[in-house]
Amino acid sequence: MRPEEGHRPPVPLQRAPEAAAGFGATAEAAAARAPSEARAIGALYPCALSDATEHSLSELAHDLVKAWGDRQLTVLELEDRIAQAAEKAPTPDPQIQRLRELIARVKAEYEVVTRSEEQRVREAGGLHVIGTERHESRRVDNQLRGRAGRQGDPGSTRFFLSLEDNLLRIFGGDRVAGLMNAFRVEEDMPIESGMLTRSLEGAQKKVETYYYDIRKQVFEYDEVMNNQRKAVYAERRRVLEGRELKAQVIGYGERTIDDIVEAYVNPELPPEEWDLDRLVAKAKEFIYLLEDLIPEQLSGLGVDELKAFLQEQMRNAYDIKEGQIEAQRPGLMREAERFFILQQIDTLWREHLQSMDALRESVGLRGYGQKDPLIEYKNEGYDMFLEMMTQMRRNVIYSMFMFQPAPAAAGAAV
């Protein structure tokens, strides 16, 4: 292929030679190679500081290096001291006081420029903001207008929209577009109509109502979990503080006995038809120390008397178990109670959270059956929470009675 007529190959530009060492570079070259970030930050300031203030800042920098050390502070520590200097609270640190005085001097010099610029902006009519899209929330649009006015200062806002924007396209933009086509309006002709503005505000109201209902529903779902979380954490806090652990475990045992009696004894049936054999077997399953208990001991007792008798047997068995454990090492029983309760609470609570998440995802389908998903979530969530607490109590009682600490190692022979 032949090159086109008049074509010349590109010639690489010659780079200016750089000095081998930093001392050979001129001030102009150093300024030209200044980091772009530093130049950008410097352009943010309203004006250059006076020579006296610059000199005072330089002296303060040297003094702070001597007092605080060269690169001895972490970034967080340095930011904390700068934040203290920016506050007005009294401080005994002389460096912070000097830094606070210089910050006030710099602010005073900047305010001279900013106040004059503010006056010019006001005289020009304030800040005018042009928006290219309306937000689906009126609150965001109002915030934009408020920022355009600079909190009460003069200003104005103007929105230029398109009929193809999402908000207009979903809520009535096609009708307006069809009306414009019917009148053969050019595409680039601006349209300013009160009907269009009202249609847009109506669309924003619909979107806001939709999201408000979603947030309200999310809050109500979260409130169910929050109430359960408070109950679980209160139980856990009481265990961590070690307040009456024995009484707490005995309470678990008494409620477990009540559940066993209610499961195997039907008050509506005559006592002769009660299944006392299975009742005694289930009690022994949780409390193996009741191995001498026989169904004949329970015959002739009512429901309340059965509960009271078995609870008394459980308390006696727990005292025997405590004596066995404490004989190996004093205080071991309280440690075991704390360990088993916390273990069961943490394990079952994590499983319960996963079950509640699954319930929340599936309960929405109940709406097709003319049922309120939130009511269904509350009812089933409450039943699942009671089941979790019941399971926790039963596991703790079973673990406490089955707990067998390893015997202490025999002393080494001399």
Side-chain angles (χ1 to χ4, degrees):
M1 297 177 60
R2 297 179 59 186
E4 298 180 0
E5 186 176 355
H7 172 74
R8 294 182 179 180
V11 178
L13 298 176
Q14 298 294 327
R15 295 177 178 268
E18 296 184 359
F23 295 102
T26 61
E28 293 78 9
R33 292 196 303 270
S36 58
E37 182 180 358
R39 291 199 300 270
I41 294 176
L44 296 176
Y45 299 116
C47 63
L49 297 175
S50 62
D51 295 338
T53 304
E54 290 281 2
H55 181 69
S56 300
L57 287 174
S58 179
E59 290 181 350
L60 178 60
H62 287 87
D63 295 342
L64 292 180
V65 169
K66 293 179 181 179
W68 295 345
D70 188 9
R71 296 185 178 89
Q72 297 298 319
L73 300 178
T74 62
V75 176
L76 293 178
E77 292 174 343
L78 182 60
E79 290 181 353
D80 181 63
R81 299 193 182 187
I82 294 175
Q84 292 181 9
E87 297 172 354
K88 295 183 179 180
T91 175
D93 193 341
Q95 283 78 22
I96 297 294
Q97 293 177 359
R98 289 186 58 194
L99 185 56
R100 184 174 295 178
E101 294 174 358
L102 279 177
I103 289 177
R105 286 176 56 183
V106 172
K107 183 179 178 181
E109 293 188 14
Y110 286 162
E111 284 182 348
V112 174
V113 179
T114 56
R115 287 175 180 173
S116 62
E117 291 178 349
E118 178 186 4
Q119 186 63 29
R120 291 199 301 270
V121 171
R122 289 187 175 186
E123 293 174 355
L127 180 64
H128 184 77
V129 173
I130 298 176
T132 59
E133 186 177 0
R134 288 289 289 269
H135 196 270
E136 59 188 15
S137 172
R138 290 175 298 172
R139 176 181 57 83
V140 177
D141 287 343
N142 292 334
Q143 287 179 349
L144 177 61
R145 294 187 179 97
R147 291 191 178 97
R150 295 298 179 189
Q151 299 181 358
D153 291 344
S156 59
T157 310
R158 186 79 170 181
F159 287 96
F160 292 89
L161 309 179
S162 170
L163 294 177
E164 298 178 357
D165 290 344
N166 290 332
L167 197 60
L168 288 173
R169 181 173 50 84
I170 296 175
F171 297 97
D174 295 338
R175 295 195 302 270
V176 179
L179 184 62
M180 296 301 106
N181 291 331
F183 285 102
R184 300 181 181 277
V185 178
E186 298 293 335
E187 292 186 358
D188 57 351
M189 178 179 293
I191 306 171
E192 187 172 359
S193 170
M195 179 188 68
L196 185 61
T197 303
R198 289 191 298 271
S199 174
L200 185 61
E201 291 179 353
Q204 287 179 320
K205 289 181 181 179
K206 292 180 182 178
V207 174
E208 289 174 357
T209 303
Y210 171 73
Y211 283 116
Y212 171 76
D213 293 338
I214 290 179
R215 289 194 302 270
K216 183 179 178 181
Q217 193 176 35
V218 169
F219 172 77
E220 292 175 345
Y221 277 96
D222 290 343
E223 191 66 18
V224 176
M225 286 302 305
N226 188 41
N227 294 332
Q228 296 183 5
R229 187 179 295 108
K230 287 180 180 178
V232 171
Y233 284 6
E235 190 83 1
R236 197 174 190 277
R237 174 59 60 184
R238 186 170 63 173
V239 176
L240 290 174
E241 294 175 354
R243 294 181 297 178
E244 301 178 353
L245 290 176
K246 181 179 178 180
Q248 186 172 352
V249 175
I250 289 179
Y252 291 168
E254 292 176 349
R255 298 186 66 175
T256 301
I257 292 297
D258 291 343
D259 295 339
I260 294 175
V261 173
E262 293 172 0
Y264 291 98
V265 173
N266 187 357
E268 298 179 357
L269 297 177
E272 295 79 11
E273 298 183 11
W274 291 352
D275 195 352
L276 298 180
D277 293 333
R278 296 180 61 188
L279 172 63
V280 171
K282 179 59 70 173
K284 290 181 179 180
E285 181 180 336
F286 282 91
I287 309 171
Y288 77 95
L289 293 177
L290 299 180
E291 54 187 9
D292 297 333
L293 183 65
I294 57 177
E296 287 74 12
Q297 294 177 275
L298 307 180
S299 59
L301 300 178
V303 176
D304 295 335
E305 295 172 343
L306 274 175
K307 292 181 180 180
F309 178 78
L310 291 177
Q311 288 174 359
E312 183 64 26
Q313 294 296 318
M314 182 273 300
R315 286 191 289 268
N316 295 335
Y318 195 80
D319 291 337
I320 296 174
K321 184 67 177 181
E322 183 178 8
Q324 297 174 355
I325 300 300
E326 292 292 320
Q328 298 192 18
R329 181 165 66 86
L332 182 59
M333 193 67 173
R334 303 288 87 80
E335 295 179 8
E337 291 168 348
R338 179 182 292 105
F339 171 77
F340 285 122
I341 296 176
L342 291 178
Q343 181 194 47
Q344 292 300 321
I345 288 178
D346 294 346
T347 302
L348 295 177
W349 176 244
R350 287 195 297 266
E351 296 176 358
H352 179 71
L353 290 177
Q354 297 177 356
S355 302
M356 292 295 290
D357 290 340
L359 175 63
R360 184 171 179 175
E361 293 178 359
S362 61
V363 78
L365 300 176
R366 309 282 178 90
Y368 293 104
Q370 305 301 320
K371 295 181 180 180
D372 188 354
L374 179 60
I375 300 299
E376 295 291 314
Y377 179 77
K378 289 182 178 179
N379 294 336
E380 292 198 21
Y382 181 72
D383 294 338
M384 292 168 59
F385 178 75
L386 293 182
E387 180 65 25
M388 180 201 70
M389 298 300 292
T390 302
Q391 188 67 26
M392 184 269 295
R393 293 193 298 267
R394 295 175 181 176
N395 291 350
V396 169
I397 287 297
Y398 179 80
S399 301
M400 287 304 303
F401 279 102
M402 297 301 296
F403 174 53
Q404 296 291 341
V414 180

